[in-house]
Amino acid sequence: MFSKSCKYGIKATLYIAQKSQHDERVSLKEIADAINSPIAFTAKILQILAKATIINSTKGPNGGFEIDKVQLSKISIHQIVEAIDGNRLFDGCVLGLNSCNAKEPCPMHSEFVIIRKQLSETLATSNLLDVALDLNLGLTVLKR
Amino acid sequence: MFSKSCKYGIKATLYIAQKSQHDERVSLKEIADAINSPIAFTAKILQILAKATIINSTKGPNGGFEIDKVQLSKISIHQIVEAIDGNRLFDGCVLGLNSCNAKEPCPMHSEFVIIRKQLSETLATSNLLDVALDLNLGLTVLKR
DNA sequence: TTTATTTCGGACAAAATTATCTTAATATAA
DNA sequence: TTATATTAAGATAATTTTGTCCGAAATAAA
Ligand code: SF4
Ligand code: SF4
């Protein structure tokens, strides 16, 4: 479904979101630790997210990553997936034809337009604030 | 969503299914041509499907691949995906935690159990006969 | 029985993804 | 201003996935 990069990206963003709620900026090391990911690889993904202006990064002592608190409820998981994996999951052909084309559909088209729509909507309506709240309450976890 | 191997596998199986309806056995070359896939790589995938007894293979002159006509309606796309990509799509954690565990769920758990259920059911109820019928009618295509 | 045809199986190769390392850039604080 | 902490960026490496090649095995027909 998602690439490993994307999974790390989602988890990292959620961790940053959780901390940003309480105005805490977090370091690369802390993030990688919290989500159980390879540190240098995580750095690359955070760079992508920073360029996509989903997160903010600051260099130097006490630097790290954060998300504008008032933006938390406006950033969706969909945006993260788009930034890292692109749109293939949302608009590519499930069976790998050059493009999705309802005029000349692949054999799974009618089945998958439904699933993709639901997937896309679910991700588009999942915002960082809501998801991070569950994390705060300990209802969900980022690593095991 | 699906690996490339799996996409090839699904398309190849559907092509074989279509031909098997009319008692035609098809060769590797014909399949690869019909679904626009690398021939030698396709051979590997057909071997997997043959071992999973989803398709039958016959060596020698006039050999090739076929599916028992009466089985067509009993074989699901789900089975193909399982044989090639395994169960990760159906029972793995969407965010890459070691396993899906509702007692200690990842932050996307509640959203994804719904999507995965629908995906799994859709694939489980898509049988080769039905899907191949649309192909026959020219309503859907395996390559463009 | 010999030859031709076709899949099978293993070895190999290329490409994409994931992961690491090293140096540079930047910001803070002493 | 200098030292330190931290992310950025580029080069490199490991792993996985995708793809190729070739000889072996099986089958059918001549
Ligand atoms: S048919 Fe289904 S899979 Fe093929 S392109 Fe359209 S949506 Fe994608
Ligand atoms: S929580 Fe969601 S993603 Fe994590 S394991 Fe359960 S289902 Fe998978």
Side-chain angles (χ1 to χ4, degrees):
Chain A
M1 183 90 82
F2 302 133
S3 69
K4 256 176 134 175
S5 295
C6 194
K7 292 174 192 172
Y8 292 146
I10 294 171
K11 287 188 281 192
T13 305
L14 289 175
Y15 183 72
I16 299 167
Q18 184 190 15
K19 293 300 183 178
S20 292
Q21 273 185 292
H22 312 106
D23 303 294
E24 287 177 41
R25 182 185 280 170
V26 288
S27 73
L28 168 62
K29 195 179 167 313
E30 187 183 342
I31 295 167
D33 212 64
I35 70 173
N36 209 11
S37 64
I39 184 160
F41 190 56
T42 304
K44 298 294 185 192
I45 297 162
L46 291 174
Q47 282 177 45
I48 294 171
L49 293 170
K51 277 181 189 157
T53 65
I54 290 170
I55 62 177
N56 300 118
S57 73
T58 318
K59 292 178 183 175
N62 292 310
F65 302 87
E66 72 205 315
I67 300 170
D68 180 2
K69 215 160 47 166
V70 304
Q71 294 296 312
L72 285 177
S73 65
K74 303 193 177 83
I75 300 172
S76 67
I77 306 292
H78 193 293
Q79 285 175 262
I80 302 171
V81 175
E82 235 180 339
I84 299 174
D85 278 351
N87 283 321
R88 66 167 177 75
L89 189 59
F90 308 119
D91 65 16
C93 174
V94 182
L95 292 191
L97 303 191
N98 286 331
S99 59
C100 184
N101 174 352
K103 290 284 170 59
E104 225 180 340
C106 82
M108 301 301 295
H109 182 83
S110 59
E111 288 84 352
F112 271 96
V113 286
I114 299 168
I115 289 171
R116 290 200 312 193
K117 182 156 183 276
Q118 183 171 2
L119 177 61
S120 186
E121 280 174 4
T122 298
L123 294 178
T125 57
S126 297
N127 71 79
L128 296 186
L129 182 61
D130 290 349
V131 182
L133 277 175
D134 284 348
L135 265 178
N136 257 332
L137 295 173
L139 297 177
T140 59
V141 302
L142 289 173
K143 73 168 174 182
R144 281 197 233 108
Chain B
M1 182 90 83
F2 302 133
S3 70
K4 258 176 132 173
S5 296
C6 195
K7 292 174 191 172
Y8 293 146
I10 293 172
K11 288 187 281 193
T13 305
L14 288 175
Y15 183 72
I16 299 167
Q18 185 190 13
K19 294 299 183 178
S20 292
Q21 274 186 291
H22 312 107
D23 303 295
E24 287 178 43
R25 181 186 281 169
V26 289
S27 72
L28 168 62
K29 193 179 168 313
E30 188 184 341
I31 295 168
D33 212 65
I35 70 173
N36 208 12
S37 64
I39 185 161
F41 190 55
T42 305
K44 299 294 186 192
I45 297 161
L46 291 173
Q47 282 179 46
I48 294 171
L49 294 170
K51 277 180 188 156
T53 67
I54 290 170
I55 63 178
N56 300 117
S57 74
T58 318
K59 291 179 184 176
N62 292 309
F65 301 88
E66 74 205 315
I67 300 170
D68 180 2
K69 215 160 48 166
V70 305
Q71 293 298 311
L72 285 177
S73 64
K74 303 195 176 80
I75 300 171
S76 66
I77 306 291
H78 193 292
Q79 284 176 262
I80 303 172
V81 174
E82 235 181 338
I84 299 173
D85 278 352
N87 283 321
R88 67 167 176 75
L89 189 60
F90 309 118
D91 65 16
C93 174
V94 182
L95 293 191
L97 303 192
N98 286 331
S99 59
C100 183
N101 175 351
K103 290 285 170 57
E104 226 181 339
C106 81
M108 301 302 294
H109 182 82
S110 58
E111 288 84 352
F112 271 95
V113 286
I114 299 168
I115 289 171
R116 292 200 310 192
K117 183 155 181 277
Q118 182 171 1
L119 177 62
S120 186
E121 280 174 4
T122 297
L123 295 177
T125 58
S126 299
N127 70 80
L128 295 186
L129 182 61
D130 291 349
V131 182
L133 277 175
D134 284 348
L135 265 177
N136 258 331
L137 295 173
L139 297 177
T140 58
V141 302
L142 288 172
K143 72 168 174 183
R144 281 196 233 107

